[in-house]
Every structure is written in C-alpha cells, then in structure tokens.
Amino acid sequence: MAATIRDVAQASGVHVSTVSRTFSAPHLVNPETRNRVLAVAEDLGYRPNRAARALTTGRTHNIGLIVADISNPFFPPLIKAAQAQARARDYHVFVADTDEDPQVEEELIQTLTKQVDGVLLCSPRLSNRAIERLHADVPFVVVNRRVKGMPTVLMDVGQGARLAIDHLTGLGHRRIALVSGPSGSWTSGEMRAAATAVEGVDLVIIGPNAPTEQGGLAVAAEVVASGATGVLAYNDLVAIGLIEGLYERGVRVPGDVSVVGVDDIVPGRLNRPKLTTVAMPAVAAGRMAVDLLLQSVCDGAAPTLATLETSLVVRESTGEVRK
Amino acid sequence: MAATIRDVAQASGVHVSTVSRTFSAPHLVNPETRNRVLAVAEDLGYRPNRAARALTTGRTHNIGLIVADISNPFFPPLIKAAQAQARARDYHVFVADTDEDPQVEEELIQTLTKQVDGVLLCSPRLSNRAIERLHADVPFVVVNRRVKGMPTVLMDVGQGARLAIDHLTGLGHRRIALVSGPSGSWTSGEMRAAATAVEGVDLVIIGPNAPTEQGGLAVAAEVVASGATGVLAYNDLVAIGLIEGLYERGVRVPGDVSVVGVDDIVPGRLNRPKLTTVAMPAVAAGRMAVDLLLQSVCDGAAPTLATLETSLVVRESTGEVRK
C-alpha cells in the first residue's frame, strides 16, 4: 500500500498540514522541517498530489462537470443547479464539453483530475470500462449511466417512455416510431427497452441518430416513409428538428403525426406547436450529483444510486390519430 | 518592480526551470539547490505562482472561459469554437457561468486565476474598473466589452442594429421599439447608441430588461402599449419570448408587429415565425479570443482590438407595416 500523508506526518513528527504545505507552498515551511519532511516522503515513496486532495487543506474546492454537448438546452439547468448547490458548500464548478466525442471526454477527465476534488460525468459517451479505469484517479458521480460501485444519479427515462407511449396509444396511435439517440447513450438504451416492452404497439425503431435538431431534420423522410402516426423522439431537440422536417414535407403536427420529445427544454415550450414531452428532472439531478460527490469526497460515504422520477407534460404536438 | 523568476535563477546560479520546479515539485530538486533557491526567492521578495505561469514549464495549458449565462444558446457555439481552437494548440477550456451576477463573476475569476494560463471574459457584467483590477493577476481577453489596454474581441452590434432599423424603415415602420438588455451590458449600450443615431425614426426605448425569454414575455404588454409596429429586441431569446407574449395578446407577428432579434441562435431558425435577426459572429469570436489570449500569454504580444462584422438575416418575423 502506498504511504499516506499521515504516514509522512507521523514519521516526520509534524502535523499533516505541514506536510501538505511542504508540497504546496514550500517557501512557507522552515527549511529544516521542509527538508526532514521531503526526506521522509522520499523514503516512504509518498506521492503528494493524489493524497493531498484527501486533506481539507489539500482540497481545491473545485468540481469538474463534463457534459456531452453544452449546446443542448437540457444541460444548462443541470449545470446551473449543480453550480448553485456547490456554491452553497463553498465549491466552484468548471464545465467542459466533450462534443459527444469519447476521446475528448477521456482527455478532459485526465486534465480535470489535477484541478478538482471530483468530477460529475453527465451522459458520458465513454464505455463503463473506461469510466471504471479513470475513476481510480479522481472521485466521480455519473449521471444517466449505470456504472457498478459508483455514485450514480439516474433520471428514469424508461418510466417516461412508457408514459409517452401510453399517451400515444390512448390517442389511438398504433404504429409508433422511436427515434433513438447515439449508440453510447444509456438513455437511448432505456427508452428502447421500455418501448419494446409495451404490448399492442407496432413499433418502428429509427436510429442510432445524432441527438440534435439536425438529427431530427435528417430522419423526417424516414419517419414519413415508416407510416408511423406517433413518434417518440430521443430528446426535444430531435423532436423540434423532426417537426420542422415534417412541415417542410407538408406533414402537419399534430394533424397528421403526433410527436413527443424528452427533456422539457425551454425552446420546446415556446415552439409552435408547443411540445408534448417527457420532463426530465435536470435541476434535481444537478443538485443530487453535487450532494453525492461531496458525500463521497468529504465523508467517504458509500456509493449511492439515486433514481429520479420523470413525468409527461402534454402540450400541443400530440393529438388523436387521424381516422 | 517585483522580482521575476529570471532574477531568482540568476541570483541562485541555476536555470529558470530549476526555480520553477523548486516551487512546483520541490521533492524533485536536490536539497542544497532547493534551499539556495528558496532563500534567494525570499530575499528578493519573489512571489512564485504569478511568474511561474509565464514560463513554459509553469503553464497549466488550461484556459478559463467565463460567460454571463450558459443557458443562452448564443454562448455554446462560441464556447465550442474556443474549445476547438484551444485543443488545436494543446489547451483545454474550462467554462464557468456567472448567472449574470457580477459578484459571482469576480469570485470565479479569482478561483480560475490559480488554475489557468488566461481567462476569456465573455459579455462580462463587471465594471471596467473591476476588470482592470483583476487583470493584474491573470491575462484576460474580453469579448463584447471595451476595456483599455486589454486584448478585445468585439462583435459590431451597432452596425447590426443600424441594418435592422434600416430594414424596418424600408418596410414602412416609423415607430420602432428598442427592447434593451441588462444595464451592465456593452452590447445594450451599443445598440442604444446606434438606434438613437438613426434619423426619421420615432424610437421608444424599453428596458433595461432581462436578456431571456422571460424578459421578452414580460415586456409584451409594454410593447403593445407603445404603439410601435417594429421592434428590435436585445437578443433572440427576448425576441422569441416577446413573440410568444404578443401571440398571447392576439397580436400577430409579422402581421401586426415586426420583430428583429440579435444573435442568430438555432431556436430562432426553427421558431414559427422564423426569426429575422442580426447574426453575431460567435464562432469567429470564440476562435479569435483564444488566438489573442495565446498570443498574449505565449508571445507577449501587445493587446489587439478585433472588431468582427455582423449581418442581417431576413426570415419570417418582419414584414411591411400594416396600412
């Protein structure tokens, strides 16, 4: 086992904060003490940066927050909620965007590791194996991904997908298209599993697909060709892009086709037609993620799994199937 | 003048990288050298962190990017462009959101100062005086604010506002409302100055006002009461909120009132009616800001002022004045 800062402190006969200061601000430690501490540290093979973080004095009081796409309006409310919760506990949040690229995601985690006390990984595109490996260097909380032994915040999008499909079948829709998201997405997998499990529905799965307006525009022709009268889109951006693409083809929403989104982003509420959507508890998730991270960092708490409920908000983009 | 790392190196008879290492990784420096360097540093009153940053060896290769409101879709393209430009030069960008709060902005700058080589301040709400004071501790590039002696990227929104008002007068509108933005905003001041300078227009100024959809919704009644038939809104979010508020009052856009936004955010392109807007060069500004920062940090270049042109994109939210 590697030597800890406490081992070095004990063997040098100084307080742990002196050991910490020896590495972080050597000019503030008297030379004799400094030399003794550094000699002991070398003897014991003590590596300062990693362990220093575990000490109050060594904390950066910064949290990293990594998101797949900062331009998706789903993330800002989550980011702002995390920031507010962190600020209340004297922490700052720094955000980095991976542009949906797993390699960038990995690089950013490695860079942040040196600067923060922990990282919130929101909708990661990395594999579980990569997340587990990187977790050795810095505490994580994962949001919208299930990784064993790691503090986790899930938004129950499977439950939301069931509500959306029940809503569509209640309006008489039988042929329903699921426009799925990126292949690395846990959310997309959950939606697919939930939609497949509903009986009496003639389900068409379209995708994997980019989780953006462009992604929605791009599948409009395929949705029309599928003959589906109801659509559950991966998220609101896809739904908004799809509705635009349908209008361009002279297909009316909800007159001809009903569309349900996921997330409940602000643009969906102001769009015409206003979007029926599965509301994701982004604000609660942002707060919860910070709480779980600080519990893990400060109190050494065991990893918790928090599952947050979703709900269906019915607006104008869904209606009865055309006879 | 404060001692530099070069002064300490010369007086200690070592290379600057040894001085740097003495402060950043003292356990890697032999004890005799380390003690000499630290003694000289103390004699000369050398403060390590600030100057170490100027050395290649001391660089963090991180850039901080501070935005007023991460939930405004104007910022993500700028953020992504800055990230891509930084990545190409082996830098990472960490983003922090101030929630339009000058105090939070100041705190975040102070926190980032220790973690990054420089900070991009986008649409700051701090006073010029506060920005100048904080600039003593870390290199800045300011975007959309004019601060003397600091590298600056401006988007010429004044030019854009003139184009918008010319467009409205060309459609026969004479009574035009300017829905202005937050009071600390440089952009808002520029728009006001440009709009006031146009002759033959009966201008009504409404605001200062929150730069959000809610801000737009909130002034709908005032816009109707003003009797204006043409509106230039502070940004697209305000325009989208305003159009929603006008529809709620039975006022049609562009049938009854024409509305022009500023920014050219994606939701405005998908809104119905699609928004006529002043397109801001956010992508070019993000790239340019990184270039100016790295020129200043790496090459010690003199502060540059870059002014980027704006343009008018005419879509569906403007039309001829009703006879």
Side-chain angles (χ1 to χ4, degrees):
Chain A
M1 214 181 97
T4 67
I5 194 165
R6 284 172 211 288
D7 299 334
V8 177
Q10 198 165 21
S12 321
V14 300
H15 194 268
V16 283
S17 63
T18 307
V19 180
S20 170
R21 202 153 47 234
T22 300
F23 288 96
S24 62
H27 51 302
L28 301 178
V29 180
N30 99 38
E32 202 184 306
T33 308
R34 191 169 66 211
N35 290 338
R36 190 167 71 243
V37 169
L38 289 168
V40 167
E42 196 173 353
D43 282 352
L44 298 182
Y46 168 72
R47 305 273 241 79
N49 296 330
R50 174 80 178 91
R53 198 180 298 122
L55 258 192
T56 303
T57 48
R59 287 220 184 106
T60 62
H61 276 251
N62 295 328
I63 294 174
L65 194 164
I66 293 189
V67 298
D69 180 8
I70 211 167
S71 69
N72 183 339
F74 168 70
F75 287 111
L78 189 155
I79 292 169
K80 283 176 176 274
Q83 283 183 154
Q85 192 77 350
R87 265 179 66 78
R89 299 186 60 177
D90 197 25
Y91 272 75
H92 287 291
V93 173
F94 298 123
V95 182
D97 164 293
T98 68
D99 237 349
E100 303 269 356
D101 182 332
Q103 198 194 318
V104 174
E105 192 171 315
E106 179 156 358
E107 264 182 54
L108 285 170
I109 292 169
Q110 285 167 340
T111 306
L112 275 170
T113 294
K114 303 166 205 135
Q115 317 260 340
V116 300
D117 296 341
V119 173
L120 311 180
L121 266 185
C122 299
S123 307
R125 302 300 181 222
L126 280 173
S127 68
N128 277 15
R129 178 176 290 188
I131 293 172
E132 280 162 8
R133 178 167 43 74
L134 291 161
H135 186 238
D137 295 322
V138 69
F140 281 157
V141 169
V142 284
V143 178
N144 282 349
R145 171 68 70 92
R146 192 83 187 252
V147 191
K148 254 186 235 159
M150 222 166 278
T152 301
V153 180
L154 299 177
M155 300 180 229
D156 194 351
V157 72
Q159 171 217 9
R162 278 188 301 275
L163 293 173
I165 290 178
D166 288 350
H167 169 63
L168 289 171
T169 56
L171 293 165
H173 299 277
R174 287 292 165 271
R175 191 160 172 83
I176 293 176
L178 174 70
V179 178
S180 65
S183 49
S185 155
W186 173 86
T187 298
S188 198
E190 291 290 297
M191 287 176 68
R192 201 172 171 133
T196 310
V198 180
E199 290 189 7
V201 167
D202 181 12
L203 189 73
V204 194
I205 295 177
I206 296 175
N209 192 43
T212 58
E213 291 103 334
Q214 286 304 324
L217 272 166
V219 296
E222 204 175 337
V223 167
V224 174
S226 77
T229 61
V231 181
L232 173 59
Y234 173 68
N235 66 18
D236 288 349
L237 292 181
V238 170
I240 290 170
L242 172 63
I243 291 172
E244 192 58 32
L246 293 174
Y247 271 76
E248 284 174 2
R249 285 170 179 74
V251 177
R252 300 280 125 184
V253 176
D256 302 315
V257 171
S258 287
V259 176
V260 184
V262 172
D263 284 349
D264 195 19
I265 61 176
V266 172
R269 298 174 208 168
L270 298 174
N271 215 47
R272 232 171 312 275
K274 297 191 207 313
L275 212 53
T276 295
T277 190
V278 175
M280 296 277 263
V283 168
R287 281 194 205 120
M288 179 70 79
V290 168
D291 285 347
L292 293 187
L293 187 68
L294 295 184
Q295 278 168 25
S296 151
V297 170
C298 305
D299 314 331
T304 306
L305 167 67
T307 303
L308 305 174
E309 287 199 1
T310 55
S311 59
L312 185 73
V313 183
V314 178
R315 297 200 183 96
E316 303 168 351
S317 65
T318 47
E320 286 194 15
V321 71
R322 211 164 64 172
K323 305 296 172 192
Chain B
M1 215 182 93
T4 68
I5 194 165
R6 285 173 211 288
D7 299 333
V8 176
Q10 199 165 21
S12 321
V14 299
H15 193 268
V16 282
S17 65
T18 306
V19 179
S20 170
R21 202 154 44 233
T22 299
F23 287 96
S24 62
H27 52 300
L28 300 179
V29 181
N30 101 36
E32 202 183 305
T33 308
R34 188 169 69 211
N35 290 339
R36 189 166 71 245
V37 170
L38 290 167
V40 167
E42 196 173 354
D43 282 352
L44 299 181
Y46 168 72
R47 305 272 242 79
N49 296 331
R50 173 81 178 91
R53 198 180 299 120
L55 260 193
T56 304
T57 48
R59 290 223 182 103
T60 62
H61 277 250
N62 295 327
I63 294 173
L65 195 165
I66 294 190
V67 299
D69 181 7
I70 211 168
S71 69
N72 183 339
F74 168 70
F75 287 111
L78 189 155
I79 293 169
K80 283 177 175 276
Q83 282 183 155
Q85 192 78 349
R87 264 179 67 78
R89 299 185 60 177
D90 197 25
Y91 273 75
H92 286 291
V93 173
F94 298 123
V95 182
D97 165 292
T98 68
D99 237 351
E100 302 270 354
D101 182 333
Q103 198 194 317
V104 173
E105 193 171 313
E106 179 157 358
E107 264 182 54
L108 284 170
I109 293 169
Q110 285 167 338
T111 306
L112 274 169
T113 294
K114 303 167 205 136
Q115 317 259 339
V116 300
D117 296 340
V119 174
L120 311 180
L121 266 185
C122 299
S123 307
R125 303 299 181 224
L126 280 173
S127 67
N128 277 16
R129 176 175 292 188
I131 293 174
E132 281 161 8
R133 177 167 42 76
L134 291 161
H135 186 237
D137 296 322
V138 69
F140 281 159
V141 169
V142 284
V143 178
N144 283 349
R145 171 69 70 90
R146 192 84 186 252
V147 190
K148 256 187 233 158
M150 225 167 274
T152 301
V153 180
L154 299 177
M155 299 178 230
D156 194 351
V157 71
Q159 172 215 10
R162 279 188 299 276
L163 292 173
I165 290 177
D166 289 350
H167 169 64
L168 289 171
T169 56
L171 292 165
H173 298 277
R174 287 293 164 270
R175 190 160 172 82
I176 294 176
L178 174 70
V179 178
S180 66
S183 49
S185 157
W186 173 87
T187 299
S188 198
E190 290 291 297
M191 289 175 67
R192 201 171 170 135
T196 310
V198 179
E199 293 189 3
V201 166
D202 181 12
L203 188 73
V204 193
I205 294 176
I206 296 175
N209 191 43
T212 59
E213 292 102 335
Q214 287 304 323
L217 272 166
V219 296
E222 205 174 335
V223 167
V224 173
S226 77
T229 62
V231 180
L232 173 58
Y234 172 68
N235 67 17
D236 288 348
L237 291 182
V238 171
I240 290 170
L242 171 63
I243 291 173
E244 191 58 32
L246 293 173
Y247 271 76
E248 283 173 4
R249 283 167 180 75
V251 178
R252 298 282 125 183
V253 176
D256 302 315
V257 171
S258 286
V259 176
V260 183
V262 172
D263 284 349
D264 195 20
I265 60 175
V266 172
R269 298 174 207 169
L270 298 174
N271 214 47
R272 232 171 313 274
K274 298 191 208 312
L275 213 53
T276 295
T277 190
V278 175
M280 295 276 264
V283 168
R287 281 196 203 116
M288 179 69 79
V290 168
D291 285 346
L292 294 188
L293 187 68
L294 294 185
Q295 278 168 24
S296 150
V297 170
C298 305
D299 314 331
T304 306
L305 168 67
T307 303
L308 305 174
E309 289 197 359
T310 56
S311 58
L312 185 74
V313 183
V314 177
R315 297 201 183 97
E316 303 168 351
S317 64
T318 48
E320 286 192 14
V321 70
R322 212 164 65 171
K323 303 295 171 196

